[in-house]
Amino acid sequence: MDGIESKLNRPLRYEGPTVAGTSCYISAEEVYQAHRFVLFNIEKCYALFCKPLNMIVQSINVNINKANTNGEEDIFFLASGPKPNVITYKGFFMNDYNFEITYVDNLCVTQNSGIATIREAEEIFYGTLEMVLEVTFGNLPPIHLFNCNWYDMKEGSGWLVDDHKFTMVNTTKRCFADKPFIFPSQAQQVFYSMDPLKSDWSIINRWKPRDTYDILTIEVGRVEAHDEVLLRKEDVVGMGLDTMIENSDVVWVRKKLGITVQVDERLLNLT
């Protein structure tokens, strides 16, 4: 089977923007929010997580010279903050999902702007994708961010489970307006189906991306120890001419399992 593409060896799909971007400037508030999110989610700043943003920047700036001598100039660029000039995209492919912003969704009959992510204490948050930003910190490679509009996750008024065990969200209630950003890798896609009896509520539909599978992994040693599950040459025998069917195919059978496989007789003459 070498050289044949299957679900086991299929190459990874492209991840990134799906359309050309547009250059624009974001507000000072959005610059601050993006700066805070990146600092609190970059491993190099882990030791500074529990401090306010101004203290994080101050602590990094104190050690700029040391960082430069150690070849870690990226810390300096992170402390300096993102440039207000960003590139925005209307679509982004990540985690085998094709995300699109709500502006595009409003023009289509399809829906690709639903977002789900896991935040503090393994709590799931739901929302919609409003913007895809490409921000830059100095000379560092650009960083992509999802700017999302989050639904209120207060049980009862923000979300609930109905009598049919469907999880629903109140689409009129929002939260975390000051924390809109996540990394694209943190996003999963959901659909929202409006409840015909409650126009303010929508049912959350989660789904698996196309071409993804739950594949059972088996240890090689274990398979070899139970080689009766393997298709071996000695387990296959011909049934004879009396079992030939109309199209000249020969029926073969595996011993023990009784599985039959139709084989074109012409293949038997190949060496």
Side-chain angles (χ1 to χ4, degrees):
M1 301 294 289
D2 292 341
I4 299 178
E5 182 178 310
S6 71
K7 63 186 179 184
L8 298 177
N9 62 8
R10 184 178 292 117
L12 295 177
R13 290 185 176 185
Y14 163 79
E15 293 182 342
T18 56
V19 294
T22 302
S23 178
C24 68
Y25 285 85
I26 57 177
S27 66
E29 181 181 9
E30 290 173 318
V31 170
Y32 175 85
Q33 292 171 347
H35 191 194
R36 177 180 60 185
F37 172 78
V38 171
L39 288 181
F40 274 72
N41 288 273
I42 294 294
E43 186 176 358
K44 287 181 176 293
C45 303
Y46 179 80
L48 306 170
F49 274 9
C50 298
K51 300 180 181 180
L53 179 60
N54 61 337
M55 294 184 63
I56 293 177
V57 175
Q58 182 180 2
S59 298
I60 295 178
N61 282 329
V62 167
N63 296 299
I64 285 177
N65 292 332
K66 181 179 178 181
N68 287 334
T69 58
N70 291 337
E72 296 185 2
E73 293 85 355
D74 50 348
I75 296 181
F76 166 75
F77 293 126
L78 290 173
S80 301
K83 299 176 182 179
N85 186 21
V86 303
I87 299 178
T88 62
Y89 299 95
K90 295 181 180 179
F92 201 93
F93 193 88
M94 175 60 66
N95 296 332
D96 288 325
Y97 296 109
N98 182 34
F99 294 99
E100 293 177 328
I101 61 175
T102 53
Y103 173 82
V104 176
D105 268 6
N106 293 334
L107 301 176
C108 304
V109 296
T110 56
Q111 185 182 141
N112 291 299
S113 63
I115 292 284
T117 190
I118 299 177
R119 287 197 171 185
E120 297 86 357
E122 299 299 313
E123 186 175 3
I124 300 178
F125 286 80
Y126 299 98
T128 54
L129 179 61
E130 302 301 316
M131 285 195 300
V132 179
L133 301 181
E134 181 179 289
V135 299
T136 53
F137 290 76
N139 294 330
L140 296 179
I143 298 176
H144 293 105
L145 299 175
F146 279 5
N147 187 329
C148 303
N149 203 344
W150 301 111
Y151 295 124
D152 185 7
M153 287 291 101
K154 185 177 180 180
E155 186 173 1
S157 61
W159 73 276
L160 56 82
V161 178
D162 67 6
D163 297 337
H164 302 286
K165 308 301 181 183
F166 290 114
T167 302
M168 306 177 66
V169 291
N170 189 333
T171 55
T172 63
K173 293 184 177 294
R174 302 285 181 168
C175 66
F176 295 111
D178 60 333
K179 298 180 180 179
F181 292 108
I182 60 173
F183 290 124
S185 59
Q186 297 173 319
Q188 300 292 320
Q189 194 172 69
V190 296
F191 297 112
Y192 300 109
S193 301
M194 187 177 68
D195 190 325
L197 302 179
K198 302 177 182 178
S199 59
D200 293 342
W201 292 80
S202 290
I203 299 172
I204 300 171
N205 302 282
R206 306 192 69 175
W207 66 289
K208 280 186 178 182
R210 183 180 298 178
D211 294 338
T212 59
Y213 307 88
D214 292 327
I215 301 175
L216 178 63
T217 56
I218 305 176
E219 296 179 4
V220 175
R222 184 178 178 182
V223 173
E224 292 175 349
H226 299 79
D227 56 2
E228 65 268 18
V229 303
L230 300 179
L231 183 61
R232 298 178 299 174
K233 181 177 180 181
E234 58 267 27
D235 289 334
V236 183
V237 294
M239 296 298 293
L241 295 178
D242 56 338
T243 60
M244 293 179 63
I245 54 180
E246 295 180 358
N247 61 357
S248 299
D249 287 347
V250 177
V251 176
W252 292 64
V253 63
R254 272 186 67 183
K255 288 182 178 179
K256 303 178 184 177
L257 296 182
I259 299 176
T260 60
V261 181
Q262 292 185 355
V263 180
D264 193 327
E265 185 181 17
R266 290 170 297 180
L267 297 178
L268 302 179
N269 298 324
L270 299 178
T271 57

